[in-house]
Amino acid sequence: MSRGSKAVTKTYDVVIIGAGPGGYNCAIRAGQLGLSVACVERRSTLGGTCLNVGCIPSKSLLHASELFHVAATELSGLGIDVGTPKLNLGHMMKAKDDAVSGLTKGVAFLLKKNKVDVFYGEGSFVDSETVRVLGADDTAQTLKARNIVVATGSEPATLPGVDVDEDRIVSSTGALEFPEVPETLVVIGAGVIGLELGSVWARLGAQVTVVEYSDGILPGADPEIAKAAQAIYEQQGLTFVTNAKVESAVVDGASVGVNVTMPDGNRQTLTADRAIVAIGRRPYTRGLSLENAGVNPDERGVLVGDGALRLAKTIWAIGDCTSGPMLAHKAEDEGVAVAEMIAGQTPLIEHDLIPSVVYTAPEVAWVGATEDALSDRDIRVGRFPFLANSRARASGESQGLVKLIADAKTDEVLGVHIVGTGAGELIGEACTLMAMSGSAEDLARICHAHPTRSEALRQSAMDAAGWAMQI
């Protein structure tokens, strides 16, 4: 069929543009609440960046590469002799792809189960109540909606002078598809994505150099925790160059030259087999014809609502295309909240209590305020090292610490920051405590199973009160 619009197929209570974690959870919840729902997705598979080229495939490679590293360096010390492990990168990549395929099919099943109509193609606004869906075959359909939710996510940010070709110079997407382990690798950016991908390839044998513009890794994390994490990564073989600016990158045959202004002001070229650009992400809002709906993003493409995720009478926005941290679980919660608000409910999202996790080994996780952010308040800080935790010592995973910050007067916990094995799981307990306005003493007085790593969290609360019992 030629490029044009079919007749309106149906009027929906909700049309969602984007089927990532925010979009598909919004659709499922809206379906549960009895609303008629359509979800528009430009990819041929559901799940968005997270399931297809982000969270899930990267976690698969992180897990597999960690096991490879453990087999190569740690099992013999535990009395398990397996010889030198051999990497089969093709099989590792297939396991990653199988995980992605299974989960994207699972999303399709859940949408069908909740009576959500799925339309594949590029969605754009005709007006504030109409979405046009242009399919891959140039056929178009028009959907009318009482509410439209923009859930289009984000894409890798670019760097002037560095042209990503997804071969020698790659984004986070290309870094999931290397055909072989590079001998040398430069990672531009020491944020979550750069550290996770750098860790994968370092464990598999690459010599990894991470270049960061700021004066430390993990901007946004508590500096003490970030510094502790950096020391661990350096022990694992990663090299960091901070306070350095990448000026350009040039591909020369089978190598890449990354031109960097070093901390001392001198210029240096870092030569590697490949380079990953991991300087963050930017909202994906182009091509939506937002002006037709009277919605204007800011200069970065961010859609900023009124705090309730509502952009206009009929238009909502969730996830990476809005302000705040670009995290799948933030998008999920916002998607659920929007569905409930459309249905007339009054959900609550505590944006200050959204946890962040870096899935390296060990993990880094935090929720709430950093110590620096609380410099104008009277606080007490408790710390507990995993070196003093029985389970961590018995497992040979004793690197890292828990840091807990509480108000000195009320004892309310204001922030928890962890570097250590299982930090991403442990932070959930801190989120629950803080959502209930819990105190350090509340946590210190709650019985925890022994031996578990969660005892380190409890001991940090004890330390904040000056009575930690195991250090």
Side-chain angles (χ1 to χ4, degrees):
M1 183 176 176
S2 62
R3 200 178 183 95
S5 296
K6 294 180 179 178
V8 174
T9 57
K10 189 175 181 181
T11 297
Y12 292 91
D13 293 319
V14 189
V15 170
I16 303 163
I17 306 176
Y24 76 72
N25 278 283
C26 183
I28 290 169
R29 185 66 181 127
Q32 289 176 338
L33 293 169
L35 301 173
S36 60
V37 188
C39 195
V40 179
E41 174 53 48
R42 64 187 178 89
R43 285 188 173 89
S44 60
T45 55
L46 304 174
T49 293
C50 179
L51 265 66
N52 287 277
V53 292
C55 315
I56 301 308
S58 65
K59 302 311 166 283
S60 177
L61 291 181
L62 281 160
H63 175 67
S65 63
E66 183 179 350
L67 292 179
F68 178 79
H69 179 76
V70 167
T73 63
E74 298 180 21
L75 289 185
S76 61
L78 297 173
I80 305 172
D81 295 324
V82 297
T84 303
K86 182 180 178 181
L87 175 65
N88 187 325
L89 187 59
H91 282 193
M92 188 178 289
M93 291 294 182
K94 183 179 184 301
K96 167 192 62 107
D97 294 340
D98 288 346
V100 169
S101 176
L103 287 168
T104 56
K105 290 176 182 176
V107 172
F109 166 79
L110 291 172
L111 292 181
K112 183 177 180 180
K113 174 184 175 183
N114 288 281
K115 298 180 174 57
V116 176
D117 293 339
V118 178
F119 295 85
Y120 291 96
E122 294 279 353
S124 60
F125 284 90
V126 176
D127 55 42
S128 62
E129 297 179 346
T130 312
V131 172
R132 182 171 182 263
V133 184
L134 182 63
D137 59 356
D138 274 354
T139 60
Q141 299 180 71
T142 303
L143 310 177
K144 295 292 288 185
R146 298 179 181 91
N147 295 274
I148 300 171
V149 181
V150 182
T152 48
S154 61
E155 61 185 347
T158 57
L159 189 64
V162 181
D163 295 327
V164 171
D165 60 11
E166 298 296 13
D167 180 18
R168 291 293 159 183
I169 303 174
V170 302
S171 68
S172 56
T173 301
L176 299 170
E177 301 290 347
F178 286 160
E180 71 281 321
V181 179
E183 290 187 15
T184 52
L185 174 67
V186 171
V187 178
I188 304 171
V192 175
I193 296 171
L195 292 174
E196 289 184 353
L197 293 173
S199 292
V200 166
W201 296 107
R203 290 176 199 151
L204 299 180
Q207 294 180 351
V208 178
T209 300
V210 183
V211 182
E212 171 58 38
Y213 182 75
S214 64
D215 60 1
I217 71 170
L218 290 175
D222 185 273
E224 180 182 356
I225 294 297
K227 186 176 180 180
Q230 182 174 337
I232 295 171
Y233 298 145
E234 288 173 341
Q235 292 173 15
Q236 296 173 352
L238 275 71
T239 299
F240 291 91
V241 181
T242 57
N243 277 321
K245 181 181 181 182
V246 172
E247 305 287 355
S248 62
V250 179
V251 176
D252 183 9
S255 66
V256 180
V258 180
N259 301 310
V260 180
T261 299
M262 305 299 281
D264 60 5
N266 291 323
R267 293 196 173 189
Q268 182 177 335
T269 298
L270 304 176
T271 302
D273 296 323
R274 298 182 190 274
I276 302 174
V277 180
I279 59 169
R281 300 181 66 82
R282 62 189 180 193
Y284 187 88
T285 52
R286 54 189 170 83
L288 290 174
S289 299
L290 290 163
E291 64 279 3
N292 292 341
V295 173
N296 297 304
D298 68 13
E299 64 278 2
R300 294 181 55 245
V302 177
L303 299 174
V304 182
D306 59 3
L309 305 175
R310 195 169 199 160
L311 303 178
K313 182 179 179 180
T314 59
I315 302 173
W316 310 74
I318 60 175
D320 287 4
C321 63
T322 67
S323 56
M326 293 183 173
L327 298 168
H329 43 282
K330 168 184 174 285
E332 290 179 5
D333 281 10
E334 289 178 343
V336 169
V338 164
E340 292 176 348
M341 285 189 278
I342 290 171
Q345 299 182 10
T346 54
L348 172 66
I349 299 179
E350 295 192 68
H351 280 94
D352 292 338
L353 296 182
I354 296 173
S356 295
V357 183
V358 189
Y359 295 92
T360 50
E363 293 177 345
V364 183
W366 65 90
V367 64
T370 65
E371 186 174 0
D372 286 358
L374 297 169
S375 60
D376 60 343
R377 291 182 63 168
D378 188 10
I379 59 173
R380 290 183 286 108
V381 179
R383 298 175 179 83
F384 191 81
F386 282 104
L387 188 64
N389 176 265
S390 300
R391 179 65 181 274
R393 287 292 294 273
S395 303
E397 297 169 322
S398 58
Q399 292 178 309
L401 74 152
V402 179
K403 178 177 180 178
L404 180 144
I405 307 168
D407 186 277
K409 295 179 180 179
T410 67
D411 199 37
E412 181 179 352
V413 176
L414 305 175
V416 175
H417 310 268
I418 308 172
V419 54
T421 299
E425 303 296 337
L426 293 176
I427 205 66
E429 181 178 355
C431 293
T432 301
L433 178 77
M434 293 171 66
M436 303 298 176
S437 300
S439 68
E441 184 173 1
D442 288 333
L443 179 55
R445 298 290 181 182
I446 295 172
C447 185
H448 287 60
H450 175 79
T452 62
R453 293 180 180 86
S454 67
E455 291 176 284
L457 185 58
R458 183 188 190 189
Q459 289 286 329
S460 72
M462 291 179 177
D463 188 52
W467 60 284
M469 299 175 64
Q470 295 177 9
I471 53 173

